[in-house]
Amino acid sequence: MSVFWNSRVRSLKPYLPGEQPRDRKFIKLNTNENPYPPSPRVTEAIARTAGADLRLYPDPASTALREAIAERTGVRPEQVFAGNGSDEVLAFVFAAFFENGGTAEPVLFPDITYSFYPVYARLWGVPFETVPLSAGFTLDLSAYRRPSGGVIFPNPNAPTGILHDPAELLLLARDLAARNRVLVVDEAYGVFAPGTGKAAFPLSGAASLLPYINEYPNILTVHTFSKAGSLAGLRAGFAAGSEPLIAALCRVRDSFNSYPLDALAAAGAEAAARDGEYYAETTARIIGTRERTVSALRDRGFEVLPSAANFMFIRRPGKSGAALFAGLRKRGILARHFNGPRTADFLRVSAGTDSDMDFFVQAITETLEET
Ligand code: PMP
């Protein structure tokens, strides 16, 4: 606290990202990064762009990137908004679609979900209510069918990894449309869902609501290049929705920072968007590794929630999540532990390479013997 802080800064509860260690080499299974490098075309595109033209401001609308996304997903560029990572897109979403102030109806999201949502809500003064996941950690959509300021959740959800049936989400979208409210589906991990065809990589998945944005003017899908695109260090994300929704995000952007994507990030993300073949392969490999790891964990008495993402949410009856976290850390592996009332027993573990996960299974087996 400082006397120089205004009341808004005093009231913030900032998001705590997973640790990015600088001193010691860990196997990082704590931030759902991709264990494989990005497409070589990404590095080529960045190298081509890193020249004299950097003296110029970038295209504020990231037109070439949006055109590539539009081509690959079958929507129009005017239905795509590009941002500095999907976190920034989400921050703009809270400013653009959710009313603030004491008399506003609360925005709804699950009690166990991406922990940045309450942070954005507080930043913009948006009231919110959390809706408990079911005992099996699935979304209970009936609980969202009531007056609200709008609804947001990831599909698959994070940190559970559980995918919800898109057909049911469309029913909820219809219900919200009748109340002039927006449904925001954060599809950061959608590409890892079953049934995703080659064409989708690394942009959207088989269960994505992106194909429905023409029919449902109140659906906004949010996507990232950080996970399947292997570009967490680049900072590129996007949203897809009807033109009025995209126009709202542009109004917020242009009231905040007109150039959210630098020239290098826009060029790199565009090259990634155009290289579905490369990403189909790395994504398939990650899904294979995830399934192998799930079996190994279940064989060792772990409960693993059914994951459609590049991570697993796991617990071992009788062991605390904190003890498992500490045992892994001691052995050079970082996982993520969320110390909430319903999450304290769990660990979230990202899918690395096969050899990362062999090492992880060995380390967690040793940890079980020790605790
Ligand atoms: N949504 C969800 C559900 C996430 O887990 C993350 C990654 N922490 C993000 C959005 C943000 O990803 P990025 O800003 O790297 O695009």
Side-chain angles (χ1 to χ4, degrees), residues 15 85-87 90 114 117 154 158 186 188-189 224 226-227 235-236:
Y15 176 74
S86 60
D87 276 341
L90 292 166
Y114 186 31
Y117 302 153
D186 177 353
Y189 302 103
T224 180
S226 299
K227 314 295 178 180
R235 311 310 298 133

Side-chain angles (χ1 to χ4, degrees), residues 11 42 92 116-117 130 212 233 235 264 269 310 336 338 341 366:
S11 74
V42 170
F92 290 179
F116 228 136
Y117 302 153
T130 58
Y212 298 94
R235 311 310 298 133
L264 303 180
N310 66 337
R336 193 87 196 264
F338 298 97
E366 287 172 23

Side-chain angles (χ1 to χ4, degrees), residues 151-205:
V151 172
I152 180 167
F153 46 68
N155 197 36
N157 195 12
T160 63
I162 295 178
L163 181 75
H164 201 92
D165 174 9
E168 283 193 30
L169 302 189
L170 292 176
L171 295 176
L172 173 64
R174 226 178 260 292
D175 197 74
L176 286 163
R179 304 175 201 271
N180 296 333
R181 295 292 184 251
V182 175
L183 172 64
V184 181
V185 186
D186 177 353
E187 298 186 349
Y189 302 103
V191 175
F192 300 100
T196 299
K198 267 194 178 171
F201 296 106
L203 303 177
S204 65

Side-chain angles (χ1 to χ4, degrees), residues 86-273:
S86 60
D87 276 341
E88 186 190 67
V89 177
L90 292 166
F92 290 179
V93 159
F94 274 77
F97 307 119
F98 303 150
E99 206 62 70
N100 63 356
T103 57
E105 289 176 313
V107 168
L108 305 179
F109 48 81
D111 60 337
I112 302 171
T113 195
Y114 186 31
S115 45
F116 228 136
Y117 302 153
V119 176
Y120 295 131
R122 286 191 191 97
L123 173 66
W124 302 118
V126 169
F128 64 91
E129 273 178 32
T130 58
V131 178
L133 294 181
S134 73
F137 297 95
T138 56
L139 284 176
D140 172 12
L141 284 199
S142 62
Y144 292 86
R145 300 220 175 158
R146 60 170 169 104
S148 76
V151 172
I152 180 167
F153 46 68
N155 197 36
N157 195 12
T160 63
I162 295 178
L163 181 75
H164 201 92
D165 174 9
E168 283 193 30
L169 302 189
L170 292 176
L171 295 176
L172 173 64
R174 226 178 260 292
D175 197 74
L176 286 163
R179 304 175 201 271
N180 296 333
R181 295 292 184 251
V182 175
L183 172 64
V184 181
V185 186
D186 177 353
E187 298 186 349
Y189 302 103
V191 175
F192 300 100
T196 299
K198 267 194 178 171
F201 296 106
L203 303 177
S204 65
S208 176
L209 292 196
L210 187 148
Y212 298 94
I213 60 170
N214 284 313
E215 215 178 316
Y216 293 78
N218 68 324
I219 290 181
L220 189 87
T221 60
V222 179
H223 310 259
T224 180
F225 285 90
S226 299
K227 314 295 178 180
S230 212
L231 290 171
L234 196 72
R235 311 310 298 133
F238 69 96
S242 61
E243 282 183 46
L245 298 189
I246 299 307
L249 292 172
C250 292
R251 287 172 75 93
V252 174
R253 176 195 65 203
D254 294 335
S255 307
F256 184 82
N257 172 12
S258 315
Y259 306 102
L261 274 176
D262 64 70
L264 303 180
E270 182 194 344

Side-chain angles (χ1 to χ4, degrees), residues 313-329:
F313 206 44
I314 68 170
R315 72 176 154 186
R316 172 70 194 249
K319 305 282 181 191
S320 81
L324 295 174
F325 174 87
L328 288 173
R329 196 173 197 291

